[in-house]
Amino acid sequence: ETGVTQSPTHLIKTRGQQVTLRCSSQSGHNTVSWYQQALGQGPQFIFQYYREEENGRGNFPPRFSGLQFPNYSSELNVNALELDDSALYLCASSPGGGRDQETQYFGPGTRLLVL
Amino acid sequence: GNSVTQMEGPVTLSEEAFLTINCTYTATGYPSLFWYVQYPGEGLQLLLKATKADDKGSNKGFEATYRKETTSFHLEKGSVQVSDSAVYFCALHQGGKLIFGQGTELSVKP
C-alpha cells in the first residue's frame, strides 16, 4: 500500500510569484486536507477536498486555492506569494465515512521558501 | 473555539527515563484526540489516537488516555530511547480538520 506522496520536496520562489504543490493520496482514500506548518509551530488547516469538492476551509486568503482530481490526488496553488508563505506544506489523506475519516495520514511535505 | 495546549519544550531526558508530555484541550462535544510525531525534516506520523472518554491509545510503548473530566490527553512512555527524539503534536478532530497544539520537542541523551 502506497502512502501519501508530495512533490516537489523543496521549492524556492520569489515574492509575487505563483506556486503549485502536488499530493497523491493513500490508496483507497477519497479525502485530502492541506496544512501549513510555519517553523516551530503546529500545522494550520488550509482546506479539505472530498470527492473533488472543497469541504471546509481554514483562515487563509483566497490566493490559496486547490483542486482535487478524479483519482483523488490534489493540488495546492498559492498566488502572489508573500514572505510569510515560507513554510512546510503538508498534505494528509483519510478514508471517507464514519470515524475512520477522522484519522489523517500525512505526506512528507513540501518545504517552500519565498525570497 | 476549540484549541489544544501542550507543555512547552524542549524536554531533555536521559535514555530509559519516564516521559510525560502534557496536553489539554478545549472543545465542544467529545472530539477524537490524536498524538502525531515529527522526526527532523519529515512529515507527521500518526502515533496513537482515542475516540471517546476513557479510551487508551497505545503504540510503540507510548500511551495516552482520553480524560473527559480534566480535558486532557497526556502522552506517556515508560522508558525512552534516543530514537524517540522528535517533536510531538497533540491534536483534536473537529469538523473534518485537525487542530494541533504547538508541539513539544523531545531530546533523549544516551
Side-chain angles (χ1 to χ4, degrees), chain A residues 35 37 48 99 102-104, chain B residues 32 36 38 44 49 96 98:
Chain A
Y35 293 81
Q37 185 182 17
Q48 182 181 86
R99 280 282 195 181
E102 297 180 343
T103 302
Q104 298 185 10
Chain B
S32 293
Y36 283 85
Q38 187 173 38
L44 273 66
K49 67 178 183 181
L98 291 171

Side-chain angles (χ1 to χ4, degrees), chain A residues 33 35 37 40-43 45 48 88 90 99 102-108, chain B residues 30 32 34 36 38 42-44 46 49 51 89 93 96-98 100-102:
Chain A
S33 304
Y35 293 81
Q37 185 182 17
Q41 303 294 317
F45 176 74
Q48 182 181 86
L88 181 67
L90 295 163
R99 280 282 195 181
E102 297 180 343
T103 302
Q104 298 185 10
Y105 298 87
F106 284 80
Chain B
Y30 302 107
S32 293
F34 301 83
Y36 283 85
Q38 187 173 38
E42 298 185 10
L44 273 66
L46 175 66
K49 67 178 183 181
T51 58
F89 291 94
H93 181 272
K97 67 183 179 186
L98 291 171
F100 288 88
Q102 74 272 31

Side-chain angles (χ1 to χ4, degrees), chain A residues 40-102:
Chain A
Q41 303 294 317
Q44 298 292 316
F45 176 74
I46 303 174
F47 44 56
Q48 182 181 86
Y49 280 83
Y50 171 67
R51 293 185 176 178
E52 304 178 58
E53 297 287 331
E54 188 176 289
N55 186 43
R57 187 179 184 92
N59 189 26
F60 281 81
R63 58 190 185 84
F64 285 78
S65 63
L67 282 174
Q68 187 179 31
F69 300 98
N71 66 355
Y72 304 129
S73 66
S74 178
E75 287 183 354
L76 164 65
N77 299 290
V78 187
N79 294 321
L81 283 166
E82 300 177 0
L83 297 180
D84 283 349
D85 295 333
S86 296
L88 181 67
Y89 288 85
L90 295 163
C91 170
S93 73
S94 51
R99 280 282 195 181
D100 284 346
Q101 68 179 319
E102 297 180 343

Side-chain angles (χ1 to χ4, degrees), chain B residues 10-103:
Chain B
V11 173
T12 302
L13 296 173
S14 298
E15 207 164 22
E16 299 184 2
F18 185 86
L19 168 71
T20 300
I21 299 179
N22 290 337
C23 170
T24 57
Y25 65 91
T26 302
T28 52
Y30 302 107
S32 293
L33 302 174
F34 301 83
W35 277 100
Y36 283 85
V37 58
Q38 187 173 38
Y39 297 99
E42 298 185 10
L44 273 66
Q45 294 180 24
L46 175 66
L47 185 57
L48 53 84
K49 67 178 183 181
T51 58
K52 60 184 187 295
D54 300 326
D55 258 5
K56 178 186 282 188
S58 61
N59 186 28
K60 299 180 182 180
F62 290 91
E63 293 183 339
T65 301
Y66 191 140
R67 300 287 188 200
K68 183 180 64 175
E69 326 73 57
T70 54
T71 61
S72 64
F73 193 54
H74 304 322
L75 182 68
E76 297 182 336
K77 187 175 185 183
S79 176
V80 293
Q81 306 301 312
V82 172
S83 57
D84 294 326
S85 298
V87 180
Y88 292 81
F89 291 94
C90 183
L92 66 83
H93 181 272
Q94 177 224 11
K97 67 183 179 186
L98 291 171
I99 297 172
F100 288 88
Q102 74 272 31

